[in-house]
Amino acid sequence: MQNRTAYSGGEVPARVDMDAQLTVELASVISAARRRATRDGDRQVDTAHLLHGLLEWDPAVRDAFDGGPPQIARLLGYLVQRSIGYGLQWHGTVEDSGAVPMVAEGGVPGWSPAAAAAMDGALDRAHARYALRAGCLDLLAALVDDPESRAVEVLRRASVDTTRLAARLDGDAADLG
């Protein structure tokens, strides 16, 4: 299995360059995650913000879960509670899952290191299948690949078998195009 969350830590491409590498749906997910982080008073977009956007915006992402609508509802319930209950321990903190080294300089402004690594992983996954743009399932696979991320914590809390989900997403890689 390829490591889809390796964070290069190199130069951050200009936003225009990044947007050109994303499907319209994934660009919408990222915009929603940014708005949610701002609305919640969080300093950075983290992997839970990205997961929330994916679940709201893309039916293919919702279909990737084998628990059906009840599981999606449970996931969204946990994500919505982030600012009023579950997830309050994250408020005002930087998500550092430990999967990538904490980047003091050269990081992606406004993004947690784990969220930036997940975006890199989504792009790597798309490039590995010779796609011009990363899609929502690419990002979901990259999120699931970091077992210590906030997104995976939410998934586990909602009884999602993340190993099984990752295997399913890896098996569907040829169909993501």
Side-chain angles (χ1 to χ4, degrees), residues 145-158:
D145 201 37
D146 182 352
E148 300 301 319
S149 71
R150 291 177 181 173
V152 170
E153 182 179 335
V154 171
L155 290 168
R156 286 188 185 132
R157 185 169 272 264

